[in-house]
Amino acid sequence: MRTRPLVGVIACRREVEGHPAHMVTDKYLAALRDYSLAPVILPVWEDGMERDLLASLDGLLLTGSYTNVEPQRYGAERAPENTRDDPHRDAAVLRLIPAALDLGLPLLGICRGFQELNVVFGGTLHQALQQVPGRLDHREPEGDRETTYAPSHDITLVPGGRLAALYSAPTSRVNSLHQQGIAELGPGLVAEAVAPDGQIEAISVAGAPGFVLAVQWHPEWKPREHPLHDALFLGFAAACQAHRVARTPQPLGA
Ligand SMILES: N[C@@H](CCC(=O)NCCCC(=O)O)C(=O)O
């Protein structure tokens, strides 16, 4: 009897040894495992298989990536600083998100995944926050992984929001490894946390019945050591577990 909820994890398209490949860095998969979730890597195809894939899953994780959503997806000209694309992922995720929401699947977006949710809802992105007057430089600090994923700026949670319902403190301090960020928030999305410079750092979908949250930072980095990251994954895991129970036929008389 399967006990762990299955969570789809979107891949990035890469080339490995000259072959097209699908890639997910291990920390996303390890974080799901550490919260008793079973990760399933989802290929980034455009063949309409998303509903078949999602129908057997209990959650969807949209990971970060060093690539960016192509600017034409939100009607912008490419900025010179915007040099890394993944059109396969763009095409796949822009189909996966509506399908997951339609199925009522718990959804957690991280960094690029956060930006993807905004673009799917018709929002736009700053392509180089460090060039935007009044914005901090949100790019990752120089150093080893412990340095780059260490908390680097504060966030303030929006009182009464979905994120605040998971984590009671009004502020936290999060890591920051992104050059892009929300410019215009997509219609139907709700800001859940902001940085000191006003940059939106967490969003949810207005009226979504279940767990649908996306964050600009990286909670998958040692989540058990950071109370807010831990609260996010505990909330996501509980939602995926509830989805699995609801999907699993109960024996008569149970
Ligand atoms: N490319 C976008 C999103 C940044 C992002 O997802 N970074 C991920 C770093 C690698 C990882 O931890 O997965 C931007 O620059 O804003």
Side-chain angles (χ1 to χ4, degrees):
M1 177 74 172
R2 174 165 72 87
T3 55
R4 290 176 178 237
L6 294 178
V7 175
V9 183
I10 191 166
C12 295
R13 187 66 177 261
R14 287 286 188 282
E15 198 168 276
V16 174
E17 309 286 344
H19 294 280
H22 299 273
M23 185 278 294
V24 177
T25 53
D26 182 69
K27 57 188 170 68
Y28 296 104
L29 308 176
L32 293 176
R33 179 197 58 207
D34 294 352
Y35 287 83
S36 301
L37 299 170
V40 177
I41 297 176
L42 298 179
V44 283
W45 289 327
E46 304 164 55
D47 59 2
M49 192 185 286
E50 60 276 353
R51 294 191 76 92
D52 294 341
L53 290 167
L54 295 176
S56 307
L57 299 178
D58 303 302
L60 177 63
L61 175 66
L62 305 176
T63 68
S65 171
Y66 285 111
T67 65
N68 303 308
V69 179
E70 289 186 300
Q72 63 265 28
R73 298 276 183 182
Y74 49 93
E77 292 296 319
R78 181 182 297 274
E81 298 84 356
N82 186 353
T83 59
R84 294 185 65 178
D85 296 334
D86 185 345
H88 293 281
R89 169 152 175 175
D90 289 351
V93 80
L94 299 181
R95 298 163 69 108
L96 269 174
I97 291 176
L101 295 174
D102 186 45
L103 289 167
L105 219 54
L107 185 153
L108 175 59
I110 294 173
C111 212
R112 192 197 210 261
F114 162 90
Q115 295 165 2
E116 290 164 345
L117 185 63
N118 187 54
V119 171
V120 163
F121 273 78
T124 61
L125 302 177
H126 291 304
Q127 296 179 61
L129 279 169
Q130 67 275 17
Q131 306 290 345
V132 178
R135 288 289 190 264
L136 299 169
D137 186 343
H138 287 253
R139 291 174 294 183
E140 63 189 82
E142 295 290 325
D144 62 13
R145 288 283 177 248
E146 290 298 332
T147 304
T148 57
Y149 284 88
S152 72
H153 70 65
D154 292 335
I155 57 163
T156 300
L157 282 70
V158 173
R162 301 284 185 103
L163 188 60
L166 293 174
Y167 184 73
S168 57
T171 63
S172 184
R173 191 165 179 80
V174 296
N175 54 43
S176 187
L177 294 94
H178 61 106
Q179 175 170 245
Q180 307 202 343
I182 288 180
E184 294 163 23
L185 185 62
L189 295 179
V190 178
E192 294 284 345
V194 291
D197 60 359
Q199 188 61 35
I200 294 174
E201 289 273 333
I203 56 177
S204 63
V205 173
F211 185 108
V212 178
L213 270 172
V215 298
Q216 183 67 83
W217 64 88
H218 287 267
E220 82 286 356
W221 182 263
K222 301 185 177 180
R224 295 288 189 188
E225 298 177 19
H226 189 295
L228 174 58
H229 301 178
D230 188 40
L232 260 175
F233 272 99
L234 286 171
F236 182 55
C240 294
Q241 178 64 24
H243 189 273
R244 187 187 70 78
V245 170
R247 263 184 355 100
T248 307
Q250 300 302 315
L252 289 175

